[in-house]
Amino acid sequence: MKNIIFCYMFLILAGYSYAQNQKSDHGHENNPYYSTTDTKKLNVSNEEWKKVLPIDLYLVAREQNTEKPFTGKYWKSSTKGKYYCAACGNLLFKSDAKFASSCGWPSFYEPLTKNSVRYRKDNSVGMVRTEVLCGRCDAHLGHIFDDGPAPTYKRFCMNSICLDFEQDITSSGK
């Protein structure tokens, strides 16, 4: 019985450690603006963001670049948990709103709250789209389209690099 309890506790702690490691891919220890609890709106210059963000994240989040389809680590993930802005730590989406869209980027049908994200008209690349920005730091996350599933019929097409993930510790990893 002690061995079973020990194994169970080990798996819980290993899952927690894995979830914490998932959130540390972007070197948050050098980012004074990163917080998963502070929801205060940030007003930080791109010059300052360039000092604290890894260059690959900076180029997508601050310069509106896009990662290549089918290359981001979350586009195909079905692990249960929460998605945060990789630049500032703002809580954006829950995995319960994630769906397989086959577009090559992680897709969600709704943000966690209406203030999690904000929207801006995007006329780049010869088309009119709606850009999705972090509601806290204005990082470019991706775009929203009207071809998602019920109940919203929206597809929030996000760049994996702009997302941090925290696995639910009760999740089995599926």
Side-chain angles (χ1 to χ4, degrees):
M1 183 66 172
K2 286 181 183 179
N3 286 342
I4 292 172
I5 293 171
F6 175 78
C7 288
Y8 180 72
M9 293 302 291
F10 176 77
L11 290 173
I12 289 173
L13 291 173
Y16 178 77
S17 175
Y18 175 77
Q20 294 306 306
N21 289 337
Q22 290 296 323
K23 289 174 60 176
S24 64
D25 288 354
H26 296 105
H28 301 308
E29 61 277 354
N30 298 322
N31 183 349
Y33 310 108
Y34 192 90
S35 173
T36 57
T37 57
D38 187 356
T39 57
K40 182 180 164 201
K41 181 80 172 155
L42 293 172
N43 186 16
V44 179
S45 71
N46 276 357
E47 190 174 291
E48 181 62 23
W49 281 119
K50 198 169 198 174
K51 294 176 187 174
V52 299
L53 296 178
I55 190 64
D56 53 348
L57 174 57
Y58 173 83
L59 290 172
V60 176
R62 306 313 309 176
E63 300 290 334
Q64 290 75 33
N65 285 357
T66 300
E67 66 189 2
K68 292 179 184 176
F70 308 103
T71 63
K73 65 182 177 179
Y74 301 126
W75 81 270
K76 205 173 175 182
S77 173
S78 61
T79 305
K80 298 295 181 195
K82 297 174 187 152
Y83 291 86
Y84 297 83
C85 174
C88 75
N90 187 38
L91 184 54
L92 301 169
F93 302 98
K94 285 184 69 176
S95 60
D96 295 347
K98 191 171 186 292
F99 66 98
S101 69
S102 302
C103 69
W105 293 276
S107 297
F108 303 85
Y109 62 79
E110 67 183 355
L112 188 66
T113 70
K114 73 176 194 167
N115 294 327
S116 294
V117 299
R118 69 177 200 85
Y119 309 96
R120 177 168 60 194
K121 189 175 182 179
D122 178 1
N123 293 320
S124 66
V125 299
M127 59 172 62
V128 177
R129 300 179 292 174
T130 302
E131 180 183 12
V132 179
L133 304 163
C134 172
R136 181 169 181 247
C137 75
D138 291 331
H140 168 78
L141 303 171
H143 293 87
I144 185 174
F145 302 96
D146 292 326
D147 59 359
T152 65
Y153 301 100
K154 300 293 183 189
R155 175 172 51 98
F156 288 78
C157 186
M158 304 291 97
N159 290 287
S160 285
I161 190 132
C162 293
L163 302 174
D164 278 342
F165 180 74
E166 180 178 63
Q167 182 178 354
D168 288 345
I169 59 172
T170 58
S171 173
S172 65
K174 298 266 178 178

